[in-house]
């Protein structure tokens, strides 16, 4: 189907936000829209916005579920503000109008705007448009529920079942609006409801009815959205948590060591455990412990026994794991700790994103307790960095903290499927049977890594533990000088991981007025802001850190060439203070936000422009 | 099981100097463990001895096996990880009463619930030894310690009751000085497939000297202890003339030959019985009215956690068309440009 209307608006990229009651199927609607767009060659990035309560009362703002899709050309984030908002009820409008661009379109289900629903959503009058001052928007008030009922009136289905398809009507309207093919969604419906042909028919009918409705009403001007210049290959959509789980399995495959994950459920990290629990076909062992301490310690046990051991968590869980991570530090056992950051302190904002666990990852343990810290920066590169976390842990016999965040964890992105042959083998320093006079803390001189003797290997019986030990022999030692030696060795061992850390890549000129510095999940927003300003001819460059301890070798050389350095992060300045301690010779400006929300590219640009203007 | 290996207790001694106080019950337990392990027919490299923190938890350093001295309270979870990761190992957890039942109490019950095939030795000296004498979760109410100068006001745990409450399948009790019984129990615990909890009444000569003295008292111990063996009559006493019978819903000590009591009236120990009620009463017995129960009190066989996990993995592996990472990456919906 194509549009027969010649009037179209051409856009580089568009943000559409589907919102409705949590029972309205908005996550599915958004996913189908984004899959279709990816399939049609757009770049996409998506972000779901679930209600915090599992069963918030129907029709209230607390129960609104949203799904934002950003598609088009040069897409790095799910977008700041929506060009098009779909609001299936008054609560959805109330919750999301503020996230819509002034002048954007708002599609409403007119039938849901009853007095009762308006009241539930907290409106005081019967005119939400006026009440919320939405005069500047293009309001398309469509009878979505009644048209759905009309379309299916002869099917003999009951009203409740019929209304379950109303999201398809809204989706159909959007497909018209953005000139999308229906085939991908039709196929999806056919597979999903294979067993109930009546439901397949109903959904397809409603989808088409929505599309036709869009075609027939005058208020809708279709858009043409730019395609991405996409390199050849096979693609799939992936979110950060799945990518993390898969990256760990990839590290297991490339190291030929079984994967063990000891964990305790916590938002927003739990999906990693869910995903790993499914992957028993890879021999993955998941152990849902009685608490986070049990999670990390069972993983340490598995590591002692020779597995690639992982524990997954979020901030509060990382706090509980601290003492045990110190045990892995002093015993020099490989361990991957995935921390999906969320708003803190305490329970904080479990479903919201933040970057405020950086210092906890670096320093949140008793004693001098160095671990490697790395951070993923897009949903799909969680795969790569999870793989790297496994590789560094195994090859350097050290705990590695992988930081992601709620934004990466739940965001999706099309991902060009990597070729596993491009991934290196991981070579853990396993002590061989027959090693004479095995000493657990004898080190490789180059990288200071000890050999790992796996229980069960004849002749290599040995004891390790949390007490300070002599270098080489591992015998318990309270000698003051030895403690200094061991403390320094453990620090230096982590420092030498630098040999495996790639140099920073500068986006933009390698010298100039302003260098924007970011790390972790803010990459897309910072990149968009930097790109847009570079297009305007501003002297701004951008570097993003994925390796935090140790830092890339060229960090200082990159910093040297800029008049101003600004570190932007979603906390009160944790990375900037770390950089201040590592490279005190530079002056750092900072831009911080702690609202449980990602940056918007707009606020970043405002701030960067201001800094460029200041003398 | 590997081919027959001939080992002696000396093979299990490490080169580390044993640092416990002279007279500490831990010495005897170490000897018992080393002797028992030599009898098990398992090659040395298959043993992993894992401890938390405490005097008793120094244990792994003295064993010439794979060993891990971990952190306070977490021996059980670390050992769980070891066993699940490598079910081929014979895994031993060393816990103090503080280590295993206070800071590690949560892990202790969950380990029993899961029934992971490992052996947990609970060194019960009713005190915190390493930190120099504070009361523990097994300290008898009213005991004066450094943190209870006027006597404790807490009810103690009976470790065996916790095992039962957590649906544990195996519980045995022994005394440090009774090395023969300890060895017999350890060998039995090793053979049992599932979590085997062995409580060892241990004397701390420094901070709780004599806490078990009522039962170990040379003169009277035979009257104050009963050693249970599966399938045997519950008879004890210096003159082997005392026995246990059920009186209504309670146990009662009787004397053979008195009031017409004969051996036939005495209960026969059934460690394999799944319902825990009689085991519970045996575990709860204490002096002066009752002897303390030693031996293997409960030994119920079921499938272990790690066996179920291996079975699940084998089943999913056989069924899944996804055999490697490349298959996984290309599974579900993909599109080609
Ligand atoms: C996290 C932590 N808290 C407290 C301690 C201090 N601590 C070490 S051992 C111990 C108790 C030891 O008692 P028990 O477990 O009964 O072992 P015992 O010394 O009696 O054999 C305590 C409180 C510690 N090492 N770690
Ligand atoms: S303090 Fe007590 S438990 Fe610790 S070594 Fe000495 S006697 Fe043994
Ligand atoms: Mg104790």
């Amino acid at each position: 189907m194509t549009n027969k209307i010649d009037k179209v608006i051409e856009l580089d990229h568009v943000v559409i936000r589907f919102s409705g009651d949590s029972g309205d199927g908005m996550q599915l609607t958004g996913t189908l829209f984004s899959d279709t767009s990816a399939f049609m060659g757009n770049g996409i990035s998506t972000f779901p916005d679930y209600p915090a309560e599992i069963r918030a009362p129907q029709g209230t703002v607390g129960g609104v579920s949203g799904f934002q899709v950003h598609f088009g050309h040069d897409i790095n984030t799910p977008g700041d503000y929506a060009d098009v908002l779909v609001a299936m009820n008054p609560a959805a409008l109330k919750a999301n109008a503020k996230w819509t661009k002034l002048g954007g379109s708002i599609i409403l289900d007119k039938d849901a705007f009853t007095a009762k629903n308006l009241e539930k959503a907290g409106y005081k009058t019967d005119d939400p448009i006026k009440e919320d001052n939405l005069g500047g928007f293009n309001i398309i008030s469509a009878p979505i529920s009644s048209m759905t009922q009309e379309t299916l009136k002869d099917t003999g289905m009951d009203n409740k079942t019929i209304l379950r398809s109303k999201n398809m009507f809204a989706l159909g309207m959007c497909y018209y609006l953005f000139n999308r093919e229906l085939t991908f969604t039709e196929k999806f419906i056919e597979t999903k409801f294979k067993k109930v042909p009546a439901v397949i028919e109903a959904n397809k009918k409603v989808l088409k009815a929505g599309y036709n409705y869009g075609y027939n009403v005058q208020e809708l001007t279709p858009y043409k959205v730019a395609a991405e210049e996409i390199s050849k290959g096979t693609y799939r959509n992936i979110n950060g948590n799945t990518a993390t789980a898969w990256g760990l399995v990839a590290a297991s495959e490339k190291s030929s060591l079984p994967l063990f994950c000891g964990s305790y459920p916590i938002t927003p990290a739990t999906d990693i455990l869910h995903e790993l629990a499914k992957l028993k076909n890879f021999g993955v062992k998941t152990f849902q412990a009685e608490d986070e301490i049990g999670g990390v310690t069972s993983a340490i046990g598995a590591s002692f026994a020779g597995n690639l051991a992982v524990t997954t968590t979020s901030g509060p869980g990382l706090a509980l794991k601290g003492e045990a991570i110190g045990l892995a530090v002093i015993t020099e056992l490989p361990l991957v700790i995935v921390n999906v950051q969320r708003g803190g302190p305490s329970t904080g904002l479990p479903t919201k994103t933040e970057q405020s666990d950086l210092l906890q990852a670096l320093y949140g343990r008793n004693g001098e307790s160095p671990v490697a810290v790395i951070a993923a920066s897009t949903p799909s590169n969680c795969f790569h960095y999870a793989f790297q976390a496994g590789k560094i842990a195994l090859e350097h016999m050290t705990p590695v903290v992988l930081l992601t965040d709620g934004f990466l964890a739940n965001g999706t992105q099309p991902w060009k499927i990597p070729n596993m042959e491009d991934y290196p083998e991981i070579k853990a320093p396993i002590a061989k049977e027959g090693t004479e006079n095995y000493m657990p803390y004898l080190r490789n001189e180059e990288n200071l890594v000890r050999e790992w003797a796996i229980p069960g290997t004849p002749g290599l019986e040995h004891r390790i533990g949390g007490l300070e030990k002599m270098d080489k022999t591992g015998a318990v030692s309270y000698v003051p000088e030895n403690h200094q030696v061991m403390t320094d060795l453990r620090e230096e061992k982590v420092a030498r991981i630098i040999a495996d850390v790639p140099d920073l890549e500068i986006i933009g000129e390698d010298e100039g007025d302003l260098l924007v510095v970011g790390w972790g999940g803010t990459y897309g927003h910072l990149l968009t802001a930097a790109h847009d300003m570079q297009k305007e001819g501003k002297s701004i460059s951008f570097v993003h850190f994925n390796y935090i301890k140790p830092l890339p070798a060229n960090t200082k050389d990159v910093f040297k060439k800029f008049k101003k350095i600004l570190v932007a992060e979603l906390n009160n300045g944790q990375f900037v203070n770390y950089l201040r301690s590592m490279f005190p010779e530079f002056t750092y400006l900072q831009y911080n936000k702690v609202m449980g929300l990602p940056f918007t590219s707009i606020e970043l640009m405002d701030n960067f422009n201001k800094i460029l203007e200041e003398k | 099981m590997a081919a027959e290996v001939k080992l002696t207790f000396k093979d299990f001694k490490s080169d580390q100097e044993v640092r416990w106080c002279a007279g500490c019950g831990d010495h005897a337990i170490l000897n018992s463990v080393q002797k028992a392990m030599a009898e098990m027919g398992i090659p040395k490299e298959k043993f992993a001895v894992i401890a938390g923190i405490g005097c008793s938890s120094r244990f792994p350093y003295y064993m010439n096996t794979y060993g891990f001295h971990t952190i306070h309270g977490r021996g059980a979870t670390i050992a769980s990880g070891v066993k699940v990761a490598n079910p081929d190992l014979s895994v031993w957890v060393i816990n103090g009463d503080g280590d295993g039942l206070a800071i590690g109490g949560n892990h202790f019950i969950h380990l029993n619930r899961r029934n992971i095939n490992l052996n947990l030795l609970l060194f019960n000296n009713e005190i915190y030894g390493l930190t120099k004498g504070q009361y523990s979760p097994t300290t008898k109410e009213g005991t004066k310690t450094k943190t209870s100068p006027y006597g404790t006001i807490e009810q103690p745990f009976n470790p065996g009751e916790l095992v039962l409450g957590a649906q544990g399948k195996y519980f045995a009790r022994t005394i440090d000085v009774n090395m023969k019984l300890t060895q017999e129990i350890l060998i039995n615990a090793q053979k049992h497939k599932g979590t085997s909890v062995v409580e060892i009444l241990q004397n701390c000569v420094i901070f709780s000297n004599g806490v078990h003295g009522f039962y170990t008292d040379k003169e009277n111990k035979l009257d104050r202890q009963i050693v249970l063996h599966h399938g045997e009559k519950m008879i004890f006493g210096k003159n082997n003339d005392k026995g246990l019978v059920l009186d209504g819903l309670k146990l009662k000590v009787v004397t053979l030959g008195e009031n017409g009591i004969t051996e036939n009236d005495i209960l026969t120990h059934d460690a394999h019985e799944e319902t825990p009620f009689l085991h519970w009463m045996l575990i709860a017995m204490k002096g002066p009215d009752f002897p303390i129960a030693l031996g293997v009190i409960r030994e119920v066989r079921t499938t272990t956690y790690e066996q179920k996990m291996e079975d699940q993995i084998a089943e999913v592996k056989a069924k899944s068309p996804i055999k490697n990472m490349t298959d996984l990456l290309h599974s579900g919906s993909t599109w080609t440009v």
Side-chain angles (χ1 to χ4, degrees), chain A residues 262-400:
Chain A
S263 186
Y264 188 78
I266 183 168
T267 304
T270 315
D271 285 336
I272 304 173
L273 177 60
H274 292 170
E275 186 60 29
L276 289 174
K278 281 191 239 162
L279 298 177
K280 293 230 157 40
N281 47 320
F282 287 86
V284 176
K285 291 177 177 170
T286 50
F287 183 81
Q288 184 180 317
E290 47 277 20
D291 56 23
E292 277 84 354
I293 301 174
V296 63
T297 47
S298 61
I300 291 171
S303 169
F304 177 65
N307 280 13
L308 167 54
V310 176
T311 186
T312 54
T313 193
S314 185
L318 185 63
L320 288 174
K321 292 173 198 283
E323 186 200 10
I325 296 171
L327 177 67
V329 168
I330 198 167
T331 51
E332 304 185 41
L333 282 171
L335 177 70
V336 175
I337 304 114
V338 180
N339 183 43
V340 186
Q341 299 168 98
R342 66 188 217 181
S346 186
T347 309
L349 299 168
T351 58
K352 303 292 174 191
T353 200
E354 210 162 282
Q355 296 184 299
S356 46
D357 291 341
L358 177 67
L359 293 184
Q360 186 184 200
L362 282 165
Y363 304 119
R365 290 168 295 283
N366 58 306
E368 295 293 343
S369 180
V371 300
V373 179
I374 67 179
S377 49
T378 67
S380 64
N381 80 14
C382 287
F383 179 85
H384 177 74
Y385 289 102
F387 180 87
Q388 285 300 100
K391 184 169 189 290
I392 294 171
L394 290 170
E395 294 187 340
H396 293 268
M397 295 292 284
T398 176
V400 177

Side-chain angles (χ1 to χ4, degrees), chain B residues 96-98 123-129 136 202:
Chain B
D97 42 318
F123 290 36
N124 188 2
N125 55 11
E126 300 186 10
I127 199 82
Y128 286 3
S136 92
Q202 177 237 330

Side-chain angles (χ1 to χ4, degrees), chain B residues 152-167:
Chain B
T152 68
I153 51 171
E154 293 184 15
Q155 268 188 83
F157 274 144
N158 180 333
E161 289 181 339
L162 272 185
V163 170
L164 293 180
Q167 301 175 46

Side-chain angles (χ1 to χ4, degrees), chain A residues 440-468:
Chain A
Y441 291 87
L442 193 65
R443 291 164 199 282
N444 173 322
E445 277 176 24
E446 202 179 311
N447 58 14
L448 302 180
V449 173
R450 75 180 188 92
E451 280 197 341
W452 190 13
I454 315 272
T457 316
L460 305 187
E461 294 85 359
H462 68 283
R463 274 67 55 198
I464 61 173
L467 287 170
E468 186 58 286

Side-chain angles (χ1 to χ4, degrees), chain A residues 323, chain B residues 53-56 72 96-99 103 125 127-131:
Chain A
E323 186 200 10
Chain B
I53 297 289
C55 289
S56 43
H72 198 28
D97 42 318
D99 196 47
I103 190 167
N125 55 11
I127 199 82
Y128 286 3
L130 189 70
T131 46

